[in-house]
Amino acid sequence: MPPVTLSRQEYQLLVEQAPIMIWRSNVSAECDYFNERWLAFTGRSMAQELGNGWAEGVHPEDFRRCVDTYLAAFAARIPFEMEYRLRRHDGVYRWLLDRGVPIFEEGDAFVGYTGSCIDVTDRIEALEALHQVHQRELEQLRGLIPLCSWCRKVRDDGGYWVQVEAYVSGHSKADFTHCICPECEKGHFT
């Protein structure tokens, strides 16, 4: 089956209606286009986003890294990929995966960059939740004390077996007094 040739209008529809946010920048690294998906996401107009206006929506904690990544790739004319938070139309910051590539016309003339963004917030939040579960599990494991089932000695951090009292005293401010519980008193002394 031969490839389908698309009209200019069909290409425009593809770009505007694609389920991803698309942007383009010119040779001066300033953005000169955002598709409808981008504008709907940010709730801003094309005029507000043009140039470096889009960067106003980048989360302050991500701003420097985002701009540095973009400008370094731009200077080297290489593809880049980064994640950063961008303010959505409702004021909520969402994580985006942004991929950009240099655009070259015939004769290898550099004309700017084009890129696409997808919202990866759900993936980032799921990974963070998994990380927190792993951290809790590690804390629980760190809290386990290797105790001999027979003599009740504890293996310390150096691998030596010590009496429970010595181990606990060395790892806390607890002190010990010894006594006999009622069950042991009945079983051993009556």
Side-chain angles (χ1 to χ4, degrees), residues 91-105:
V92 174
Y93 283 96
R94 302 286 292 179
W95 282 99
L96 298 184
L97 171 60
D98 190 343
R99 292 182 173 139
V101 294
I103 307 169
F104 297 95
E105 286 184 344

Side-chain angles (χ1 to χ4, degrees), residues 145-164:
I145 298 173
L147 180 69
C148 175
S149 297
W150 187 259
C151 70
R152 302 290 189 234
K153 286 184 180 178
V154 175
R155 189 176 64 228
D156 67 11
D157 297 336
Y160 298 102
W161 291 93
V162 298
Q163 294 296 325
V164 170

Side-chain angles (χ1 to χ4, degrees), residues 117-130:
C117 300
I118 57 171
D119 186 332
V120 294
T121 304
D122 294 340
R123 179 181 62 83
I124 297 275
E125 289 175 351
L127 287 172
E128 179 58 29
L130 185 61

Side-chain angles (χ1 to χ4, degrees), residues 24 67 74 76-77 87 97 108 118 123 125 143 145-146 166:
R24 183 182 67 197
V67 171
F74 194 92
R77 309 287 196 258
R87 190 174 48 245
L97 171 60
D108 292 332
I118 57 171
R123 179 181 62 83
E125 289 175 351
I145 298 173

Side-chain angles (χ1 to χ4, degrees), residues 170-187:
H171 288 79
S172 72
K173 294 182 179 183
D175 230 347
F176 286 89
T177 62
H178 289 79
C179 58
I180 298 172
C181 74
E183 288 179 24
C184 289
E185 184 178 13
K186 283 181 189 174

Side-chain angles (χ1 to χ4, degrees), residues 27-38:
V27 294
S28 62
E30 294 182 335
C31 289
D32 60 8
Y33 171 79
F34 296 90
N35 73 345
E36 291 174 12
R37 298 283 184 208
W38 177 286

